[in-house]
Amino acid sequence: MGAVNAVADLAVEGEIAILTLNSPPVNALSQQVREGIANGMKQAVADGAVKAIVLYCEGKTFIAGADITEFGKPPLPPSLVDVEDAIENSPKPVIAAIHGTALGGGLEVALCCHYRVAVPSAKCGLPEVNLGLLPGAGGTQRLPRIVGPEQALDMVTSGKHVDAKTCLAVGLVDELVAEGTLRASAIAFAKKVLAENRPLKKVRDLNDKVTAARSKPEIFAEFRKANARKFRGFLAPEYNIRCIEAAVNQPFEEGLATERKLFVELMQGTQSAAQRYVFFAERQVWKIPDVPEDTPTIPVKKIGIIGAGTMGGGIAMNFANIGVGVTLIETKQEPLDRGLGVIRKNYERTAKGGRITMDDVEKRMGLLKGSLSLDDLADCDLVIEAIFENMDVKKEVFGKLDRIVKQGAILATNTSALDINEIATAVKRPEAVIGMHFFSPANVMRLLEVVRAAKTDKPVIATAMQLAKKIGKIAALVGVCPGFVGNRILYARSTQANAMLLEGAMPWDIDRVTYDFGLPMGPFAMSDLAGLDIGWSKEKTSSSTIREVLCEKDRRGQKTGAGFYDYDEQRNAKPSPVTEQIIKDFMAKAGSTPRKISDQEILERSVYAMINEGAKILEEKIAIRPSDIDIVWINGYGWPVYRGGPMFYADTVGLPTVVAKLEEYGSKMGANFTISPLLKKMAAEGKRFQDLK
Ligand code: 3H9
């Protein structure tokens, strides 16, 4: 015995064979791993001295799933199902020894073993749904046979990782063994199976829980209803539900066939392609070509935040959540107290929901210190300025910080619009200045745009990215330009939305098309939510835009009960005849006649303008790669992940089509509209954004 192949090894200790996989980083079921298991099983079964087999993994985890990089390529034998059959049909008991995560195909393999042992820190799950897929190797048929259809529905549609203790309780795992002793304990367990002459337990034969649910179709109807909002637009959750239904209503083999058919359908569709692309994009986004992983970082133990408003308070919560002390600065006591009060309320609400304890609330509040003096920031390692968007005031604050805060500290701004290079001129250490653009509510939204200014030092960038990871954000490194990546693209979309209003589309038409495409809300509903009066003042208003006129009529958005829409007490939006009249008056004044704008035109002009802006962002090297732009729009603006982000979507439409349509709409797109030369070039060369690495 010894090496089976490059990633599998078979050792025999007494009556027990240990089949060990070692395929970093996550022991995914690549062709080599499948072959290693299949051949290892063959050898162990053929060896007369072997009475039981332990399947064990080296490295940080048990098998974490199928190898996603192989998807979409021609399948190579042995198939995963063949491997599973070799295990399940083994005449000798096979025991899975689980540490780290047994996910997807990994859990499916474990479910074909006759027994499963795990360390307490291990987790099991079927996360295929997050890749737009379903467990395609029997997982949807075996899981409900152990945990019952209700829990199986929850697991396959959420993709959640279930901790070992719960796995033991629901029967997914047979025994928990002490941390650090997995290999020896699994061998001991195998010996016990032999000594007690335990049967070859096959999950496929457990029928009680599925047959019990056969006469209860309401289980599925209710589950669909309760989750309709969450699953909106996604195919995979529904397909996963159908598989669990099949497990309940069909014999095992037929259920497997249903699962296979639905799996193949999902695998061939664009949703899964998009979601798999996003999986890799989320990992790629952390990689910065000229800031390698070993770039030194600055230890951050104390943070200062200037501004205790919604933004500053939300940002502070992120750091208190991970146990880092924050000094919050305001100019007056009253807003400071109010800011701290809001934070406390937020935490208390979370505690009421059961996600943290009241003890945690106090601990986190204890990490937040209020102050009215910038001098209290002298010993901070990082200061984040989160005051209102005014260049002069920001420069003044940075000038002061430069004199107060210790050398070596990072001076960050949360600006969403201003030129950070100009802000950096206010200090003698521009290399310490960086943008950390949080999205509101900052304690909830996952995106952080880290903005690299002309002189920002690499360790400053590396530290900001590392901190983002620590507070659970996904960070994209972007360059300086008006609106950076996210808001710049948003602006391109708004320009088209506003232009279409003046051609005859109503706000609710544009919003409906946007919502149906999969975004959480359209541009006008979003404006109403944010407030139409941002940047507007009664004194300077000129009635030159619809938005201004709405503000003049005190229709300033949801908060005033009216904006583009009318709102009832519960803030439900209704199309507004007042807005409609304002739009019509505007058009009459301009001498233009309203025309019917099709849903297709609304969608294309909105989305293709965004793609065009994204291409310009790439041309100007404001974003490192197209997939970073997609990460920004998915995590900051709710772009539907099943469409993979605007740049991925462009690839699915085809760049020549995007360019042709933009040329067709040409004159309507606005006086300053130009098509990105990069976009044109790529379209002409038949390239895709995905190919720009
Ligand atoms: C499936 O199983 C289908 C079957 O039902 C049916 C088949 C017929 N494949 O996340 P990390 C790479 S679908 C290939 O940073 P962590 C990842 O890209 C699969 N590569 O580590 C990264 O590469 P790089 C169901 C994979 O410690 C590196 O590993 N399973 C795979 O934060 C490290 O990853 C899943 O969906 C893979 N399956 O988290 C599980 N997984 O270093 C997906 C990872 O070059 N994986 N890589 O950027 C995960 O959730 C996490 O990776 C895990 C570790 C929790 C395991």
Side-chain angles (χ1 to χ4, degrees):
M1 294 294 152
V4 177
N5 67 7
V7 297
D9 178 87
L10 191 70
V12 179
E13 295 180 16
E15 293 181 325
I16 314 296
I18 301 104
L19 177 52
T20 302
L21 304 175
N22 188 3
S23 180
V26 296
N27 290 309
L29 290 155
S30 62
Q31 191 275 335
Q32 268 196 328
V33 170
R34 296 195 303 274
E35 183 191 72
I37 304 176
N39 290 348
M41 281 301 303
K42 225 180 265 167
Q43 290 176 24
V45 169
D47 186 335
V50 170
K51 298 281 182 285
I53 302 154
V54 168
L55 180 61
Y56 174 78
C57 289
E58 289 288 356
K60 65 176 182 181
T61 179
F62 188 76
I63 305 164
D67 185 342
I68 308 168
T69 59
E70 283 185 0
F71 289 174
K73 297 179 187 159
L76 294 169
S79 75
L80 183 52
V81 172
D82 288 344
V83 170
E84 290 181 344
D85 286 347
I87 295 172
E88 198 170 50
N89 297 330
S90 155
K92 304 172 181 180
V94 185
I95 292 101
I98 302 174
H99 76 294
T101 43
L103 299 177
L107 180 58
E108 292 177 295
V109 166
L111 286 171
C112 290
C113 294
H114 306 105
Y115 295 94
R116 289 158 293 281
V117 298
V119 291
S121 59
K123 295 202 162 90
C124 295
L126 293 172
E128 284 87 344
V129 70
N130 297 325
L131 299 169
L133 291 172
L134 54 86
T140 65
Q141 304 306 298
R142 289 190 179 86
L143 183 70
R145 285 179 155 75
I146 294 188
V147 305
E150 284 98 338
Q151 191 145 359
L153 278 173
D154 179 42
M155 279 180 72
V156 295
T157 59
S158 69
K160 67 168 73 145
H161 299 182
V162 179
D163 62 70
K165 216 171 121 202
T166 313
C167 288
L168 179 71
V170 297
L172 258 183
V173 162
D174 298 287
E175 195 170 291
L176 291 191
V177 301
E179 216 70 60
T181 70
L182 182 59
R183 192 176 183 279
S185 298
I187 294 173
F189 183 88
K191 286 184 181 158
K192 194 162 65 179
V193 168
L194 294 177
E196 293 172 7
N197 210 6
R198 291 203 203 175
L200 293 170
K201 244 172 59 184
K202 291 188 189 176
V203 175
R204 60 155 66 209
D205 297 333
L206 307 171
N207 285 319
D208 290 0
K209 288 191 173 150
V210 286
T211 46
R214 205 160 275 176
S215 53
K216 296 183 191 153
E218 64 276 11
I219 296 176
F220 299 98
E222 279 163 19
F223 188 78
R224 284 189 172 96
K225 198 161 153 228
N227 291 287
R229 234 180 115 100
K230 198 161 97 197
F231 299 159
R232 181 177 81 95
F234 286 93
L235 277 182
E238 170 58 26
Y239 277 45
N240 271 281
I241 297 172
R242 284 188 208 164
C243 286
I244 305 295
E245 266 178 326
V248 166
N249 297 316
Q250 298 176 350
F252 184 78
E253 287 297 337
E254 248 177 67
L256 277 186
T258 302
E259 178 194 89
R260 180 113 298 261
K261 181 175 156 280
L262 294 178
F263 176 80
V264 170
E265 232 179 89
L266 285 179
M267 181 65 101
Q268 290 170 347
T270 37
Q271 288 209 353
S272 175
Q275 289 179 256
R276 281 181 271 137
Y277 160 87
V278 173
F279 176 86
F280 289 111
E282 283 184 346
R283 283 153 180 83
Q284 190 81 9
V285 73
W286 300 100
K287 294 172 189 161
I288 305 162
D290 70 332
V291 185
E293 252 175 64
D294 58 1
T295 305
T297 52
I298 301 157
V300 175
K301 298 209 178 69
K302 194 178 162 200
I303 293 178
I305 294 175
I306 309 172
T310 316
M311 217 51 212
I315 297 171
M317 289 175 76
N318 285 299
F319 295 107
N321 292 350
I322 60 158
V324 176
V326 177
T327 303
L328 262 175
I329 303 286
E330 261 299 346
T331 44
K332 297 205 177 68
Q333 193 63 41
E334 195 270 331
L336 182 60
D337 291 343
R338 186 164 10 109
L340 286 166
V342 169
I343 296 177
R344 175 174 283 281
K345 255 200 210 119
N346 282 339
Y347 277 141
E348 284 174 355
R349 196 172 323 121
T350 313
K352 269 199 198 105
R355 275 179 292 147
I356 57 172
T357 63
M358 278 312 287
D359 229 30
D360 295 330
V361 175
E362 293 312 324
K363 248 188 234 144
R364 291 176 198 195
M365 287 309 295
L367 286 163
L368 301 173
K369 192 174 140 249
S371 163
L372 301 179
S373 165
L374 287 177
D375 291 334
D376 282 339
L377 303 183
D379 62 344
C380 282
D381 306 297
L382 162 69
V383 176
I384 304 173
E385 164 277 309
I387 58 173
F388 54 96
E389 299 282 24
N390 178 303
M391 181 57 88
D392 292 339
V393 181
K394 290 207 194 239
K395 278 165 89 171
E396 196 189 319
V397 167
F398 270 77
K400 284 184 187 158
L401 289 177
D402 199 23
R403 291 188 288 278
I404 294 169
V405 183
K406 70 179 183 191
Q407 288 300 318
I410 299 173
L411 306 178
T413 170
N414 176 52
T415 184
S416 62
L418 299 179
D419 181 348
I420 301 179
N421 288 326
E422 191 180 338
I423 296 177
T425 61
V427 300
K428 289 197 199 76
R429 38 176 153 163
E431 68 283 356
V433 176
I434 194 164
M436 289 178 80
H437 178 210
F438 288 83
F439 285 68
S440 189
N443 54 318
V444 177
M445 293 293 287
R446 208 171 152 225
L447 180 67
L448 179 68
E449 277 183 328
V450 174
V451 191
R452 173 183 204 159
K455 295 190 176 151
T456 312
D457 246 359
K458 290 177 185 180
V460 172
I461 295 171
T463 307
M465 297 297 284
Q466 187 192 54
L467 269 178
K469 205 171 235 177
K470 278 194 192 150
I471 58 175
K473 302 281 179 212
I474 187 155
L477 184 69
V478 302
V480 175
C481 69
F484 313 125
V485 167
N487 283 342
R488 178 169 162 181
I489 292 178
L490 183 71
Y491 184 75
R493 188 185 75 172
S494 308
T495 305
Q496 291 313 310
N498 289 326
M500 286 188 278
L501 281 194
L502 296 177
E503 292 166 42
M506 286 294 133
W508 31 95
D509 295 330
I510 296 171
D511 282 354
R512 174 179 45 77
V513 171
T514 313
Y515 180 82
D516 288 347
F517 184 73
L519 282 120
M521 63 178 85
F524 298 104
M526 192 167 151
S527 297
D528 272 1
L529 181 66
L532 301 187
D533 53 354
I534 298 174
W536 174 83
S537 78
K538 215 175 207 156
E539 296 71 38
K540 293 192 195 146
T541 192
S542 61
S543 314
S544 62
T545 64
I546 291 165
R547 190 179 175 128
E548 274 189 318
V549 175
L550 288 169
C551 285
E552 287 160 19
K553 293 188 183 303
D554 207 32
R555 298 177 65 94
R556 289 182 284 126
Q558 279 199 19
K559 60 185 173 190
T560 56
F564 282 102
Y565 293 84
D566 292 334
Y567 292 90
D568 65 16
E569 309 277 271
Q570 281 77 44
R571 294 204 170 187
N572 293 313
K574 250 192 0 243
S576 164
V578 180
T579 304
E580 189 163 346
Q581 195 54 52
I582 292 172
I583 294 170
K584 284 184 175 153
D585 292 347
F586 248 88
M587 294 190 71
K589 227 193 292 169
S592 52
T593 329
R595 68 182 172 93
K596 168 95 187 98
I597 302 188
S598 70
D599 286 0
Q600 187 189 346
E601 177 172 344
I602 291 174
L603 184 69
E604 289 173 348
R605 275 175 66 183
S606 307
V607 174
Y608 295 179
M610 295 169 70
I611 294 165
N612 188 51
E613 202 60 41
K616 289 184 182 177
I617 283 170
L618 289 169
E619 245 159 42
E620 294 166 26
K621 304 210 179 317
I622 297 295
I624 296 173
R625 47 183 91 82
S627 61
D628 289 5
I629 299 177
D630 289 336
I631 289 294
V632 166
W633 259 78
I634 289 169
N635 295 286
Y637 302 82
W639 178 282
V641 61
Y642 57 80
R643 294 195 197 274
M647 309 317 280
F648 180 88
Y649 180 71
D651 286 347
T652 64
V653 171
L655 302 193
T657 307
V658 174
V659 170
K661 281 289 180 181
L662 288 174
E663 279 168 347
E664 184 188 318
Y665 295 126
S667 61
K668 295 183 206 142
M669 301 288 288
N672 299 324
F673 182 81
T674 55
I675 301 182
S676 145
L678 174 70
L679 179 59
K680 274 191 177 168
K681 183 166 173 280
M682 288 179 65
E685 291 171 356
K687 290 210 174 113
R688 304 178 311 166
F689 284 115
Q690 282 158 83
D691 303 325
L692 283 184
K693 287 288 182 225

